[in-house]
Amino acid sequence: MDIEVLNGLLRPKAIAVIGASNAPGKIGYTVVKNLIDSNYQGDIYPINPGSDEILGLKAYPSVLDVPGDIDAAAVVVPAKYVPDVTAQCGQKGVKGLIIIASGFSEVGFTDLEERVVNTAREHGMRVLGPNIVGILSNSDSCNASFAPFLPLPGKAALVSQSGALLIAMDAATYTRRVGFDKLVSIGNMSDVNFADMVEWLGQDENTACISLYIEGLKNGPKFIQAARDAGKPIIALKSGVSAHGAAAAASHTGSLAGSGQVYDAAFQQAGVVRAADLNNLFDRTLALSLQPPMQGDNLLIVTNGGGVGVLATDAAERYGLPLRFAPEDVQEELKKHMPAFGSAKNPVDLTGMAGMDWYQGSTRYAFAHDWVDGLVVLYCETAMTDPVEIAQGIKQAIDESGITDKPVVVSFVGGEQSAEARRWLVEHGIPAYDAPDMAINAIAALREYARNTAEATTPFQRHADVDEAKAREIIAKVRAENSTSLTEVESKVIFEAYGLPVATTRLATSEDEAVKTAEAIGYPVVMKIMSPDILHKSDAGGVKVDIQDEASVREAYTTILANAKAYKADAHILGIAIQEMAPWGTEVILGSIADPTFGPTVMFGLGGIFVEILKDVTFRVAPVSADQGMTMINAIKGAPILKGARGEEPGDLQALSEVLSRYSQMIHELGDEIQESDANPVIVYPEGKGVKVVDARIILKEK
Ligand code: ACO
């Protein structure tokens, strides 16, 4: 990232408005007026060949006529003029273009857009847009957009792919009382994309939290890296998460991977927190921009009302922070701040009698206690208390506790006075909401941020004992045969090359060879038809299990061939695979897809009906470390089954997480070749006894 160029684009000291106009109602008029009205301190150069003066400022026919340097140019001339204007800006030494004009790739004029970007690149310029509203920055008093005014000042930055949404959110910052320093419209992302913005905002001193409205990312892996490096909270509202295109995917994994699930996984790996909807984006932005992350799971709730306490307790469970009872010493101390009929467990119910002293005493003590990782204070408006005074008391207690590395979030439920108290709290750095579940959701965001950050910083250690050349040799052989579908035997050779524990499988092309192979592997064996034309082997009567001796091998050989012929007379039969019969254990499935945004992506779930019906699976963008593999195992609902539910022996999760990591390395390193793959089933044995890949399949990319 060229910081200096992006600084010029995003924090310009001099701006030209190309297409500036004296005609109210034109965007070229509004942008100049907005710059003036926002009290922009840099130089403003209106550019218009037909005017000498615009809104009281001297206007120039072209940027080439401007006497001073220009950092950024807001471009508000019709699309067809933009290539020429871009060339002139390049000649002038402008650093970046804010192309507000529409009429480019969003309506199919991709060539026009490419011409503009290529010209800009030739001159070392960066391009924001086209098809955007512009940029707004409180710290620079700069409204270089046609949004009505600068947002409510604050510490967050919003980057939005939708211009209309950005305008709507701009105004809503005042009604929602969520402050932003910057709003950046990113539009078609012809050049500057989310990854660039996250990288730049990561080093921006005025940005404490980065909020994103994303329709689609352009370069998934680059975004993940930028987000990991940003070192500050990022919250994303992702739209368009339906499973479009997934139905077209050939494999099991493909049909399970709605694009939403891969985005979910990628965000988690990147440390990014998700927002469920627009309201939630505001709510979570407020918390993430004002409070530190929550480093542990111990949430304490202090309330003056049982009802809101129960609502908050339910919400805590819903948002992944189930409450635990406070330890004895905490309960003993808290009892001093409530009547005898209060409850010190958790939620801590100070009762409706609670006045400022009890709120202050309990909050000050609890917030400072080591057991407490995060605090939510709830208040229901009563006739006995003044909400603003209670709010001030809470803030004072938090300050007096001396603790600054834990989060506190508040909910005041009531009328106008409570609203005033909430405003006061937010102005003093404490996120405050009008419903208890919103406060819990907000603190859950701070917990998610800490959890995701921990996952995002787990490094992947490449397994060095792999034979990539061998894997590529097999792939080259398959391609030479004009095929993209590897047989089970070929797939397993590649799996083995990556150190994956496959059930030994060899191809036999005659009955005698089948007997020899079975004896070499050792009885019992499994025999399976190998044909590129028969994918569902069992349906074709092409699988026989538990074969114990030579006679049975010979009989199975004849029967399987006959069944295959009956199933598909013209099927090309490669032979019959003889496979070690793996003892049974818990069935899991590993799969992979080549995600269009994030590239090779690994899937994990329990096998059998769990995957078919319950779709209990989880995804991660490859590669993943063994630790992340363990996180994947723990992420599925069926994890307790693998850990030994109902007296079963716990499975060898150490081996399974290692297998996930190696498999992810395989699909990552061979990502230029592999379209999809499956290991299904994989059998997990009890602790210390390992894992076995029973069946494997690889489909190559069409080239
Ligand atoms: N250099 C400088 N000025 C020029 C040039 C040039 N090469 N060519 C023309 N101009 C002047 C024009 O003479 C005019 O000035 P005037 O009012 O003094 O005559 C001014 O630039 C603007 O040109 P117009 O032809 O009048 O164009 P208009 O203002 O109608 O539209 C615009 C231009 C706004 C860029 C339009 O083409 C457009 O793209 N509108 C959509 C923008 C948009 O919505 N973007 C955000 C999308 S996100 C969302 O949905 C909210």
Side-chain angles (χ1 to χ4, degrees), residues 18-23 26-27 47-49 51 61 76-79 81 85 100-102 131-133 146 163-164 167:
I18 305 176
S21 171
N22 272 315
K26 285 199 181 186
I27 292 185
I47 310 294
N48 183 318
S51 307
V76 279
V77 290
Y81 302 126
V85 158
I100 292 174
S102 302
N131 189 31
I132 60 172
V133 169
F146 64 94
I167 294 185

Side-chain angles (χ1 to χ4, degrees), residues 253 256 261-262 264-265 268 455 589-591 601-606 615-621 628-637 660:
T253 310
L256 287 164
Q261 273 191 291
V262 180
D264 264 337
Q268 199 164 328
E455 181 172 342
I589 172 173
L590 271 57
T601 300
V602 57
M603 182 199 80
F604 166 75
L606 282 187
K615 300 195 181 349
D616 183 16
V617 293
T618 186
F619 291 83
R620 289 292 183 281
V621 177
Q628 280 179 300
M630 197 60 95
T631 311
M632 289 181 80
I633 297 167
N634 283 312
I636 60 166
K637 291 195 188 72
L660 270 162

